[in-house]
Amino acid sequence: MNNLKIIDFDFDHKLLKKFIDFGYDIYKNDSQFIPPFREKIEFELTKQNPFFNDRIIRNFIIYDDNAIKGRISAIINKNMPNIGYIGYFECIDNYEIAKILLDNAMEFLKKNNIKEINAPINFSTWNKYRFVTEGFENESFILEPYNHKYYPLFFEKYGFTVLKNYYSNVVIDIDREMSKIEHIKQKALQNGYYIRNIDLKKVDEELLLLYNLTIEIFKNNFAYTEIDFADFKNLYSGLNYMIKAEYLLFAYDKNNNACGFLFGMPDYSLAFKKMNGKSDIFSKLKFLFYRDKAECFIMKTFGVKKTALFSGVGSLLVYTMYKNMKKNGFSKGIHALMIENNSSRKYGLGTTNIIKKYSFYKYEVLQ
């Protein structure tokens, strides 16, 4: 590799297309890869994305002769001036290439007085972040990150250290899990807590409720950054076409105050693979045809207000979702992407299997 050349840019249309295309090409022979929607990636990386109101990005592509061998982005959040981010990393299995990409991203961030670098993360924790670090032998599922096995090894070799670990557990005996929390669920019901489904006829109104709950519940979480409702709404666009009402649950106390939620959806991996990152009418028809072939259910986002902690309402939410899963024919479920010290990991503790481990990294910039 004697003809290496690196190009940097921000919003150049032609370069951005090559940058995005490489994110698909690098996995073209990988049956585990679930192609993300191209429209979504294109929106994320163009000026139309509201994230650029307070963020700066510098993208890098590395060529060997005329063939792209890797890409990376350096990202700065103006509201967090000391922390920089590295995202959209994809690379062939060659550490020399990876190091050149990382060197260039690092240089850009250092010039902007960044003291700590977090990776991998595409803008914020509202977007894709973390590397899969264990469990590559297990099937990939929707809503989780995906990467080649050598990516975290390259980052660790470069000097990144693990900041946080996350886990996904599979539930293979739903009845057993329900029986373990039934008495806690019953306590919550006796104390006046109750559950309702999202009203898909009032999606905008319901998303505002979900947004307000999310902000209040997660505002003190690790690596949290606040987004406005317009950005949040965009993240959940098309939700009413993707789920049944009983897959997004809201919890209320006896005074009819919303105090928690649980969101999940069937693992549409097969349907998304058939769509191949496209969202035209024919691809949507493929989704409709293959969506009912999902065999597993993903429990993705779960939260309870501080005022309702230890009330049993969390178990009430989980129990209700288990019940809905069974009703819809799912024999197994995944508690997805749980941070290592989160209390939600208690669900299925000792009776479920860890199927994936993910890591989020940091790099301390030497002064």
Side-chain angles (χ1 to χ4, degrees):
M1 292 190 176
N2 298 319
N3 297 306
L4 296 178
K5 178 178 69 172
I6 193 155
I7 295 175
D8 64 291
F9 67 99
D10 46 17
F11 300 113
D12 181 277
H13 179 72
K14 291 183 179 179
L15 289 173
L16 197 55
K17 183 182 183 303
K18 293 178 180 179
F19 185 92
I20 292 171
D21 286 347
F22 185 73
Y24 294 86
D25 295 342
I26 191 78
Y27 298 109
K28 64 182 177 181
N29 296 316
D30 189 340
S31 62
Q32 289 267 41
F33 178 59
I34 303 169
F37 289 112
R38 184 177 288 268
E39 280 186 359
K40 180 179 182 296
I41 304 301
E42 289 172 349
F43 177 79
E44 285 180 3
L45 290 167
T46 58
K47 289 181 180 179
Q48 286 70 39
N49 186 348
F51 269 86
F52 288 115
N53 292 336
D54 55 13
R55 286 170 175 80
I56 299 168
I57 192 168
R58 200 68 182 167
N59 303 309
F60 300 86
I61 299 174
I62 190 167
Y63 290 85
D64 181 25
D65 290 329
N66 293 318
I68 296 177
K69 299 299 180 180
R71 72 176 199 189
I72 200 169
S73 297
I75 301 162
I76 296 171
N77 183 340
K78 296 176 186 177
N79 299 316
M80 302 179 70
N82 294 321
I83 300 178
Y85 304 96
I86 286 177
Y88 296 99
F89 175 82
E90 304 287 356
C91 184
I92 64 168
D93 189 1
N94 183 298
Y95 179 69
E96 178 188 354
I97 297 290
K99 185 177 184 302
I100 294 170
L101 286 167
L102 285 165
D103 283 345
N104 278 266
M106 288 286 184
E107 186 63 26
F108 175 82
L109 294 172
K110 288 177 182 177
K111 284 180 180 177
N112 284 275
N113 300 312
I114 295 300
K115 303 296 188 294
E116 179 183 314
I117 298 165
N118 293 169
I121 182 167
N122 300 350
F123 295 112
S124 75
T125 56
W126 295 98
N127 301 86
K128 178 183 174 184
Y129 71 108
R130 299 163 288 209
F131 280 141
V132 180
T133 50
E134 293 180 16
F136 291 94
E137 70 278 8
N138 295 314
E139 287 290 324
S140 57
F141 56 87
I142 62 168
L143 305 177
E144 71 165 343
Y146 189 75
N147 55 268
H148 285 300
K149 192 173 184 177
Y150 54 86
Y151 287 8
L153 302 179
F154 284 174
F155 272 63
E156 289 170 15
K157 185 174 181 178
Y158 192 86
F160 281 84
T161 57
V162 174
L163 187 55
K164 290 288 181 180
N165 289 313
Y166 302 75
Y167 300 89
S168 290
N169 290 28
V170 62
V171 177
I172 55 178
D173 189 341
I174 295 174
D175 288 329
R176 183 178 181 184
E177 297 306 314
M178 291 175 72
S179 67
K180 285 167 55 180
I181 59 175
E182 185 166 6
H183 67 289
I184 307 174
K185 175 266 299 187
Q186 200 60 37
K187 171 191 169 185
L189 289 172
Q190 290 170 355
N191 289 329
Y193 290 94
Y194 64 95
I195 304 294
R196 75 165 176 87
N197 302 336
I198 185 176
D199 186 345
L200 292 175
K201 294 179 181 178
K202 302 177 181 178
V203 172
D204 287 354
E205 186 178 318
E206 295 285 67
L207 283 180
L208 182 58
L209 171 61
L210 180 62
Y211 171 76
N212 289 329
L213 282 170
T214 301
I215 297 302
E216 181 173 349
I217 292 169
F218 299 135
K219 63 186 177 183
N220 295 317
N221 277 19
F222 167 74
Y224 173 85
T225 55
E226 190 165 325
I227 61 174
D228 61 30
F229 179 61
D231 296 341
F232 181 85
K233 186 178 175 182
N234 182 65
L235 292 174
Y236 284 88
S237 61
L239 182 70
N240 50 327
Y241 301 107
M242 302 281 288
I243 68 167
K244 294 182 178 181
E246 59 213 48
Y247 296 160
L248 204 170
L249 307 175
F250 292 109
Y252 287 79
D253 62 23
K254 63 182 179 181
N255 297 315
N256 299 316
N257 297 310
C259 60
F261 72 95
L262 173 56
F263 166 65
M265 68 167 61
D267 181 15
Y268 293 129
S269 297
L270 178 61
F272 284 3
K273 287 177 182 179
K274 295 294 182 181
M275 294 177 77
N276 196 30
K278 301 173 184 176
S279 52
D280 56 72
I281 186 64
F282 297 107
S283 298
K284 289 177 180 177
L285 288 172
K286 288 180 182 179
F287 173 79
L288 293 174
F289 181 79
Y290 286 101
R291 67 177 179 179
D292 291 335
K293 299 183 184 297
E295 298 178 350
C296 184
F297 191 89
I298 312 299
M299 285 169 280
K300 174 60 171 63
T301 312
F302 171 43
V304 174
K305 285 184 179 181
K306 283 186 177 181
T307 54
L309 292 177
F310 311 111
S311 66
V313 72
S315 292
L316 175 60
L317 282 163
V318 173
Y319 187 96
T320 305
M321 190 65 85
Y322 282 153
K323 186 178 178 181
N324 293 343
M325 289 163 55
K326 286 187 62 181
K327 185 179 77 172
N328 285 280
F330 295 101
S331 59
K332 65 177 181 178
I334 294 175
H335 287 285
L337 301 161
M338 299 177 291
I339 196 167
E340 54 193 351
N341 58 348
N342 195 300
S343 60
S344 63
R345 289 196 68 204
K346 69 183 179 183
Y347 294 103
L349 191 64
T351 55
T352 61
N353 299 321
I354 296 174
I355 57 169
K356 292 284 182 72
K357 180 181 176 182
Y358 318 83
S359 296
F360 188 52
Y361 291 86
K362 73 173 181 178
Y363 183 96
E364 300 285 352
V365 177
L366 297 177
Q367 301 303 310

